[in-house]
Amino acid sequence: MTDSNPTQQQSEFLASLNSQEHAHNHQLNQFAKDYVTLSLGVGEHSEYFVDAYYGPEEWRPTGDAQSLTSLTQDIKTLCELLTGGDIAADSFLYQRHQFLLIQSKALLFYAQQLAGQTASYERECELLYDAKVPFFDEVYFDDVLRSLDTLIPGEGELNKRFANYRQQFIVSPSKLSTVFDAAIEEARKRTLARIDLPTNENFRVELTNNQVWSAYNWYKGNSYSLIELNTDHPIYIERVIDLAAHEGYPGHHVFNALIEKHLVNERGWLEYSIYNLYSPVSLLAEGSANYGIEVAFPWDERLAFERGVLFPLAGLDPEQVEQYYGIQRQLHRLSYVDNLIAQRWINGDIDDDKACDMLVKYALNSPERAKQRLAFIKHNRAYVMNYNYGQDLVKQYLAKQVADDSHDALWQAFTDLLAEPKTASMMEGT
């Protein structure tokens, strides 16, 4: 909950603006309120749309839900007002204006979808997530599978061989808490050495099941998150650091805490107090959370930590680290399979059975895991591209910001991006 009275930090921020920027900021504050209230209104028609909200309680809808027709018209008006805004490109507030405009256009498109408007996968990527995603077809994935075929030990069909090989890297439920706690502690230590977070930041981890996702961060505001881990399927050792970093440090938990600290609390930009799941900010949220794993754990350091700490805690053979993670690197090249399947399923080119067959063949999923993954794709549609293309785009953007191979500089550029988010087109145009 954000106090309606300006904090000292907000007062200092306002005092730093010149008169023209102060007027623009005041106008954007009104647009921000409209954006938040309209987003909350759309959330009345879509259970999972508003992923987090910690703004003024009085902005929440009361009484009967506003109709989608009425909401759509109000969002159109907001987009028109923002499009007609006249903020110079060299203004301190230009990025705030552009971000709010892009987010509002995505809100309009999502409201139209809820009302029954259909769109292709490509249009969803562009209008919901502000992104034009590269295309990879079966020829690309067949090449990756051939590479994996030479790496995975054993005999027989690749999918079954991989499944058999991978069984030895499952973290037993009795050791999961200990192993996961060690990964979180290390990820937190590495992150806090580089990023100044609020002293009260914290999160709680709970186990759950019967979900289409493997893990979820529910940000509650006041630098606090609830992280849920889905136990429907076994958790393999590589997922431990991935989940600790992606959901926690320096991933979703840190991303939301920095936005709340710098943009909501210090500047009073309340459009950032709401996180619409199906919106352009998700590309950065998921992309930075995935790339943040590599930032916090550079490859050699990750292998050393796996070998020296996590594998022993999990009761796994540390001598297997090099081979296993060599295979994981190749498996990552298959991540764009989700995009191909989402594209063809959304566009009506394949049915559920064909989609599951592709997940089994090209993602090396078991039939059961393929069904769960398809359920996630059907529920979230084009959202799946935020993980892979988002990660690649964040990596490419940060590489342009860092003049040399300095890891300190990479951490700083990464932190700056989290504290002042950019959409895909903003990063692509840099």
Side-chain angles (χ1 to χ4, degrees):
M1 176 70 178
T2 301
D3 198 318
S4 58
N5 296 317
T7 65
Q8 180 180 350
Q9 292 168 321
Q10 290 172 1
S11 298
E12 291 172 353
F13 166 73
L14 292 172
S16 70
L17 299 178
N18 61 40
S19 59
Q20 185 177 37
E21 285 188 325
H22 195 286
H24 284 314
N25 194 58
H26 179 75
Q27 183 183 46
L28 288 175
N29 284 344
Q30 181 56 54
F31 292 153
K33 180 180 180 181
D34 294 340
Y35 169 75
V36 171
T37 56
L38 289 169
S39 295
L40 291 170
V42 171
E44 294 282 283
H45 297 271
S46 176
E47 181 181 1
Y48 298 102
F49 178 63
V50 177
D51 193 82
Y53 177 63
Y54 48 89
E57 196 64 26
E58 61 268 23
W59 287 6
R60 291 186 182 275
T62 56
D64 295 334
Q66 186 178 355
S67 71
L68 280 173
T69 301
S70 176
L71 282 165
T72 299
Q73 187 55 54
D74 287 348
I75 300 168
K76 282 182 180 177
T77 299
L78 174 60
C79 290
E80 290 167 358
L81 291 171
L82 283 163
T83 302
D86 183 25
I87 297 181
D90 61 350
S91 168
F92 174 72
L93 299 174
Y94 180 76
Q95 183 173 314
R96 180 190 185 191
H97 176 264
Q98 290 302 109
F99 193 88
L100 190 51
L101 173 59
I102 292 170
Q103 288 284 118
S104 296
K105 286 181 176 179
L107 178 63
L108 174 60
F109 177 71
Y110 186 72
Q112 292 169 333
Q113 278 194 307
L114 285 179
Q117 179 175 306
T118 59
S120 67
Y121 166 84
E122 293 81 2
R123 290 290 285 168
E124 277 197 20
C125 290
E126 185 175 355
L127 296 178
L128 274 187
Y129 306 112
D130 190 41
K132 295 181 179 179
V133 183
F135 176 74
F136 297 88
D137 63 10
E138 287 91 339
V139 174
Y140 170 83
F141 297 120
D142 282 332
D143 182 63
V144 179
L145 292 180
R146 282 190 290 270
S147 297
L148 283 165
D149 195 43
T150 66
L151 294 175
I152 297 172
E155 297 180 355
E157 189 268 327
L158 178 61
N159 191 299
K160 292 180 180 178
R161 184 164 22 117
F162 175 63
N164 291 334
Y165 168 72
R166 203 181 185 198
Q167 289 301 305
Q168 63 187 299
F169 300 100
I170 293 174
V171 181
S172 70
S174 64
K175 295 176 179 172
L176 181 60
S177 178
T178 299
V179 177
F180 195 66
D181 285 349
I184 290 176
E185 181 181 354
E186 182 68 16
R188 185 173 190 270
K189 181 179 73 174
R190 289 168 178 252
T191 300
L192 292 184
R194 307 285 188 156
I195 299 178
D196 182 22
L197 292 175
T199 56
N200 63 318
E201 64 82 18
N202 197 9
F203 62 74
R204 184 173 80 256
V205 178
E206 293 184 355
L207 301 182
T208 186
N209 59 6
N210 196 29
Q211 303 293 339
V212 297
W213 38 260
S214 58
Y216 211 105
N217 180 302
W218 304 97
Y219 191 70
K220 303 298 185 180
N222 198 29
S223 303
Y224 179 77
S225 296
L226 168 64
I227 296 175
E228 292 186 325
L229 300 181
N230 185 10
T231 59
D232 285 344
H233 296 274
I235 294 180
Y236 297 89
I237 188 64
E238 78 278 1
R239 294 293 289 153
V240 175
I241 279 184
D242 288 354
L243 292 173
H246 181 100
E247 304 297 341
Y249 305 100
H252 291 320
H253 175 67
V254 171
F255 178 59
N256 286 301
L258 288 177
I259 287 177
E260 183 179 18
K261 175 184 177 182
H262 293 294
L263 300 183
V264 177
N265 293 341
E266 293 178 4
R267 297 183 186 175
W269 293 356
L270 293 181
E271 66 269 29
Y272 289 96
S273 68
I274 193 166
Y275 174 26
N276 295 340
L277 185 63
Y278 305 114
S279 73
V281 75
S282 281
L283 183 136
L284 176 59
E286 300 294 359
S288 65
N290 267 357
Y291 184 55
I293 301 168
E294 184 177 334
V295 175
F297 292 89
W299 189 251
D300 290 342
E301 294 181 22
R302 173 166 184 168
L303 294 189
F305 185 68
E306 297 273 7
R307 186 185 302 108
V309 179
L310 296 188
F311 269 57
L313 284 176
L316 305 180
D317 180 6
E319 296 301 315
Q320 299 291 320
V321 167
E322 293 283 351
Q323 180 185 51
Y324 187 65
Y325 279 94
I327 291 171
Q328 291 301 316
R329 270 193 155 173
Q330 285 296 314
L331 282 170
H332 178 70
R333 296 175 61 201
L334 296 175
S335 67
Y336 278 84
V337 168
D338 282 356
N339 299 17
L340 177 62
I341 293 170
Q343 178 193 45
R344 291 187 176 168
W345 187 86
I346 290 170
N347 293 350
D349 298 327
I350 59 174
D351 60 13
D352 289 8
D353 289 340
K354 179 60 177 176
C356 282
D357 289 343
M358 292 178 68
L359 283 164
V360 169
K361 178 178 180 179
Y362 290 112
L364 298 183
N365 288 150
S366 66
E368 296 74 23
R369 181 71 178 93
K371 289 178 181 178
Q372 185 197 40
R373 192 60 188 166
L374 179 59
F376 182 88
I377 292 172
K378 291 172 67 174
H379 181 79
N380 294 287
R381 297 172 63 89
Y383 187 93
V384 295
M385 66 88 192
N386 289 314
Y387 297 98
N388 44 57
Y389 181 62
Q391 177 177 352
D392 289 346
L393 183 58
V394 168
K395 183 174 183 176
Q396 292 161 14
Y397 171 80
L398 292 177
K400 297 175 184 177
Q401 311 306 308
V402 180
D404 52 33
D405 293 331
S406 167
H407 202 62
D408 290 339
L410 176 61
W411 264 108
Q412 186 58 57
F414 180 79
T415 306
D416 292 344
L417 180 60
L418 298 188
E420 293 202 18
K422 289 178 169 61
T423 70
S425 66
M426 291 177 178
M427 288 188 281
E428 290 165 343
T430 301

